[in-house]
Amino acid sequence: MILFHVFPKRIHFFFPFARRPRWSMLLVLPWLSSMISYVLLGPPYLSHWSTFAGATLSSFSVGLGCYLLLGLIRHSILTQYPDLGQTGPRVALLLLSYMLLTTSFLLGILWGYLHWHWFGYVYQPGSTTRLLLLNLVVNLLAVGAFESSYSMARWRASTIEKEQLKKINLQSQYESLKQQVNPHFLFNTLNSLSSLIADEPQRAEEFVDEMAKVYRYLLQTNRHTDEAGELTTLATEMSFIRSYFHLLKTRYGPGIHLQIELDESDLDRLLPPLTLQMLVENAVKHNVIHAHRPLVIEIKSAPAGQLVVRNNRQQKTTRVLSNQVGLSNITAKYQLLAEHRPGLEALTGLSIAQTDSHFTVSLPLLNTDAS
């Protein structure tokens, strides 16, 4: 799962058992050591303070060593099976490890009592059975308590991350819509329209139609996107991109070109809406656009269900203010999709490659059954 690589500090905060079980066990071990000693020695355990203190201290020392070794084994198991969906194998391995190790330690203690007759020990029939039953109960309680704490912490951390990703996703939609309705965009769009009305009324009418399509798509997308991140087909997204690019082409003329090479089979695949618009907008924002140095944006199909968006690099000499919304928010959308749709955990989001001549972004297209 991608969720425990995004907010490590928050997750560490919600894993109290990673720091506090040692203190809780230091409180439990003396009580547990007393029970083990009483099961082994019986009433003589309470007959004299030296027997009580010596037997308890011996059991406590062995129990502490056992606990420290269990901590290493537990860490190894959690590394292999960390997710909530892996609760079954994780609990089974924890219980098996606890039982094998603690039983070995208890039988070692019993052998020491039998061999050296510690504290005047005399074997009592049934004491071994009682000792193993006590061990079973304690291990069941220990694994149950640990797993409950662990699962609750993972659930809380997962909930926090989902809320963060939802917030990022909503901000992405807001920023995208805001970018299109801000005064600067409207001024440039209406200025382009104004220059067409008198000289080229036919083109002006086409421009208005494409502008209406752009705003209609933006408004519909922001209205219908749910918390899990709505998906749209590549064909629908490309229809919007053609309308959006029509506005750019009217404004920049021969200074900008769009090249599309898509496989027919990819048109029914899915991606988060406005993804391509953000990438096109990113290219326009950061590069010089001139008739003698045209900006060429390519949208192409790639193997393994990938879509490639590439543009030639001709960066502006003036520093461009960037709020880091575009690429990071697309990545967040894919992370959100992976969280809400089982089977998409392997999504990696964007792959970015940058050379002196080109800027390339690759992103996964999803099959229709992902919706």
Side-chain angles (χ1 to χ4, degrees):
M1 294 172 65
I2 54 190
L3 29 120
F4 291 99
H5 300 285
V6 181
F7 305 105
K9 291 183 178 179
R10 286 182 176 273
I11 290 169
H12 183 69
F13 176 78
F14 283 109
F15 276 74
F17 51 80
R19 303 188 300 271
R20 292 188 290 212
R22 63 188 66 181
W23 300 110
S24 60
M25 280 305 298
L26 287 177
L27 295 175
V28 173
L29 273 177
W31 168 79
L32 187 58
S33 300
S34 297
M35 290 189 64
I36 292 173
S37 299
Y38 184 80
V39 171
L40 286 170
L41 297 173
Y45 170 64
L46 303 175
S47 63
H48 196 273
W49 71 267
S50 60
T51 302
F52 175 83
T56 302
L57 183 60
S58 300
S59 298
F60 179 84
S61 300
V62 173
L64 183 60
C66 182
Y67 168 72
L68 294 176
L69 187 55
L70 278 175
L72 297 176
I73 296 174
R74 183 173 61 238
H75 175 74
S76 177
I77 293 173
L78 294 180
T79 301
Q80 294 293 324
Y81 302 95
D83 299 330
L84 290 175
Q86 298 171 315
T87 298
R90 181 174 60 250
V91 171
L93 284 174
L94 283 172
L95 186 57
L96 179 62
S97 301
Y98 274 47
M99 287 299 301
L100 289 176
L101 190 61
T102 55
T103 300
S104 300
F105 271 75
L106 285 176
L107 292 178
I109 294 175
L110 182 61
W111 180 85
Y113 272 89
L114 285 169
H115 188 72
W116 285 294
H117 300 286
W118 290 336
F119 311 109
Y121 174 75
V122 177
Y123 178 73
Q124 301 178 24
S127 61
T128 303
T129 301
R130 290 193 295 272
L131 191 63
L132 294 178
L133 285 175
L134 173 64
N135 182 50
L136 175 61
V137 172
V138 170
N139 281 324
L140 287 173
L141 291 174
V143 172
F146 175 81
E147 180 59 32
S148 297
S149 176
Y150 182 85
S151 298
M152 179 61 69
R154 297 287 301 218
W155 176 80
R156 293 179 68 183
S158 175
T159 300
I160 289 174
E161 184 183 9
K162 288 177 183 178
E163 291 301 319
Q164 291 288 339
L165 289 175
K166 282 165 57 178
K167 180 179 178 181
I168 292 173
N169 190 44
L170 291 173
Q171 182 179 352
S172 168
Q173 299 170 41
Y174 168 73
E175 290 290 342
S176 178
L177 182 60
K178 186 176 71 174
Q179 181 65 25
Q180 304 310 321
V181 299
N182 68 50
H184 182 70
F185 178 84
L186 280 175
F187 174 80
N188 289 324
T189 303
L190 294 176
N191 192 45
S192 299
L193 176 61
S194 177
S195 64
L196 292 175
I197 290 176
D199 301 327
E200 301 177 81
Q202 182 63 35
R203 286 189 62 197
E205 185 175 344
E206 294 175 2
F207 184 89
V208 170
D209 290 340
E210 299 301 332
M211 184 177 174
K213 292 177 184 178
V214 166
Y215 278 94
R216 184 182 304 114
Y217 185 80
L218 287 167
L219 292 172
Q220 289 175 346
T221 298
N222 283 276
R223 184 184 306 121
H224 296 302
T225 298
D226 60 21
E227 64 177 21
E230 187 74 16
L231 292 170
T232 188
T233 63
L234 178 59
T236 301
E237 185 79 352
M238 286 307 303
S239 177
F240 163 70
I241 285 297
R242 288 185 174 91
S243 296
Y244 179 70
F245 185 76
H246 184 95
L247 305 185
L248 296 175
K249 187 68 174 177
T250 302
R251 179 182 174 189
Y252 295 109
I256 189 169
H257 299 288
L258 178 64
Q259 297 179 358
I260 300 173
E261 297 180 21
L262 298 175
D263 295 340
E264 287 292 329
S265 58
D266 286 338
L267 294 178
D268 290 331
R269 291 177 179 266
L270 306 173
L271 74 167
L274 301 179
T275 297
L276 298 183
Q277 186 269 340
M278 289 184 189
L279 296 176
V280 171
E281 178 183 88
N282 191 63
V284 172
K285 182 177 182 179
H286 293 281
N287 292 279
V288 172
I289 302 177
H290 195 277
H292 300 296
R293 296 176 60 195
L295 175 66
V296 180
I297 301 172
E298 306 170 48
I299 302 178
K300 299 181 178 181
S301 293
Q306 295 285 306
L307 185 69
V308 173
V309 181
R310 188 174 82 147
N311 64 270
N312 55 322
R313 290 188 67 199
Q314 39 195 41
Q315 286 186 298
K316 296 178 178 178
T317 54
T318 56
R319 185 179 180 87
V320 177
L321 179 63
S322 176
N323 53 17
Q324 302 296 320
V325 168
L327 297 178
S328 61
N329 277 335
I330 295 173
T331 300
K333 284 186 176 184
Y334 276 100
Q335 291 173 340
L336 191 65
L337 286 171
E339 279 299 308
H340 285 269
R341 290 175 169 83
L344 300 184
E345 292 84 356
L347 286 178
T348 56
L350 304 185
S351 172
I352 301 173
Q354 184 170 293
T355 66
D356 291 338
S357 59
H358 287 87
F359 182 83
T360 305
V361 176
S362 300
L363 55 131
L365 293 173
L366 311 179
N367 294 323
T368 53
D369 56 5
S371 60

